[in-house]
Amino acid sequence: MRIDVVTLFPAIFDGYLTQSLLHKAIVRGLVDIQRHDLRDWAQNVPHRKVDDRPFGGGPGMLIQVEPTVSCVRDIESEILSQGELPPIRKILLTPQGKRFDQRLAEDLATSERVMLLCGRYEGFDQRVHDILEPEEISVGDFVLNGGEVAAMTIIDAVVRLIPGVLGDENSHQDDSFSRGNRLLEFPQYTRPREFEGHFVPEVLLSGDHAAIAAWRAEQTQIRTRARRSDLLDEPT
Ligand code: SAM
């Protein structure tokens, strides 16, 4: 999978892409993450400015349409020049977009080419949306300073689903929300067996795999009902 990230702050990703699972996935060639500094497409060359005040007044600045559209088109033509490839999924991060969830992560993990457009300030000029027609995705009903943390959230959730990225291929199968399950994962325990009077449930020490599976299935239902009953009520 290749992921292109368009951002005004490419360095924000430095630490994140050089640690842990993401770093290993990149080193092993399971994902190629390319960052593009939108300022490289600035029309205003000496100052590399890509934002301006909104027509009609109001606070803040907007990211301009020309550099953004040029940048996206250049990335698309560079990718197309590599031959017959599946279409690139263009995603623009915005609090006004469709809510990101595990289902969408699973869907994106089947794509070979994804582009993430990170906004800043008051966001993008509306014509970026109209001309590029990206999928618009939000990571939640709150407002971040920029799309970079949202992009990292999406990359993190998607890359771990690429076959070979997790050490144990089955380790995300039981995760909350996974494989179309509208359920939360069961409680888990590790050593020690007892801590300050809190004991590991006996069934997990029994070695009886059928009993353990039944207990986990029951706990999954209990936990979901207690914490997120809305998930059980939603149509699948
Ligand atoms: N003025 C915009 C609005 O009210 O919809 C918010 C702009 S926000 C301060 C700047 C940028 O952060 C956005 O363009 C977007 O890329 C990103 N962003 C903020 N909150 C987000 C969220 N919940 N999900 C995805 N991206 C978000």
Side-chain angles (χ1 to χ4, degrees):
M1 172 185 264
R2 170 164 158 171
I3 303 176
D4 289 272
V5 184
V6 176
T7 169
L8 288 174
F9 299 99
I12 288 179
F13 294 83
D14 285 351
Y16 167 66
L17 296 179
T18 53
Q19 303 293 319
S20 189
L21 281 175
L22 256 292
H23 178 60
K24 284 189 197 148
I26 292 167
V27 169
R28 291 164 62 207
L30 297 170
V31 63
D32 174 15
I33 301 178
Q34 297 290 331
R35 288 169 277 169
H36 307 274
D37 185 344
L38 189 55
R39 291 185 204 282
D40 291 343
W41 280 266
Q43 317 281 306
N44 179 334
V45 177
H47 302 291
R48 290 166 51 83
K49 195 166 142 51
V50 292
D51 58 301
D52 210 335
R53 285 190 294 275
F55 283 123
M61 303 293 270
L62 283 172
I63 301 181
Q64 293 173 289
V65 61
E66 302 104 313
T68 311
V69 169
S70 305
C71 169
V72 170
R73 287 186 179 151
D74 284 354
I75 295 168
E76 283 179 317
S77 32
E78 186 240 309
I79 290 172
L80 285 174
S81 71
Q82 295 169 8
E84 277 298 302
L85 291 170
I88 187 160
R89 276 184 78 167
K90 285 192 290 272
I91 292 169
L92 186 149
L93 284 322
T94 165
Q96 302 182 21
K98 175 180 176 178
R99 186 91 64 86
F100 185 63
D101 62 11
Q102 189 65 20
R103 220 176 281 189
L104 190 43
E106 288 170 4
D107 181 32
L108 287 173
T110 64
S111 310
E112 288 182 40
R113 295 284 189 278
V114 174
M115 186 189 298
L116 299 169
L117 301 171
C118 305
R120 274 274 154 177
Y121 319 125
E122 290 303 316
F124 292 95
D125 183 308
Q126 177 58 36
R127 290 164 293 183
V128 169
H129 303 252
D130 299 342
I131 294 168
L132 298 175
E133 298 185 325
E135 293 174 56
E136 300 190 4
I137 295 184
S138 163
V139 293
D141 290 346
F142 45 81
V143 177
L144 300 165
N145 288 323
E148 290 76 14
V149 171
M152 286 190 251
T153 302
I154 291 175
I155 293 170
D156 206 83
V158 169
V159 170
R160 70 193 300 278
L161 299 175
I162 297 173
V165 169
L166 296 182
D168 178 349
E169 273 312 292
N170 295 321
S171 62
H172 62 75
Q173 304 288 317
D174 291 324
D175 278 345
S176 304
F177 314 112
S178 290
R179 292 180 303 153
N181 280 336
R182 313 291 293 151
L183 297 168
L184 304 182
E185 194 181 48
F186 45 81
Q188 306 236 54
Y189 299 83
T190 185
R191 282 181 285 192
R193 291 179 178 211
E194 181 271 336
F195 182 70
E196 295 186 351
H198 293 259
F199 291 88
V200 174
E202 275 301 321
V203 64
L204 298 178
L205 310 172
S206 67
D208 180 340
H209 296 297
I212 292 170
W215 182 84
R216 286 178 167 167
E218 183 191 26
Q219 290 297 319
T220 280
Q221 291 291 335
I222 292 171
R223 184 165 274 209
T224 309
R225 175 67 61 203
R227 299 181 183 198
R228 291 291 305 274
S229 59
D230 58 301
L231 294 173
L232 297 170
D233 301 335
E234 274 177 24
T236 47

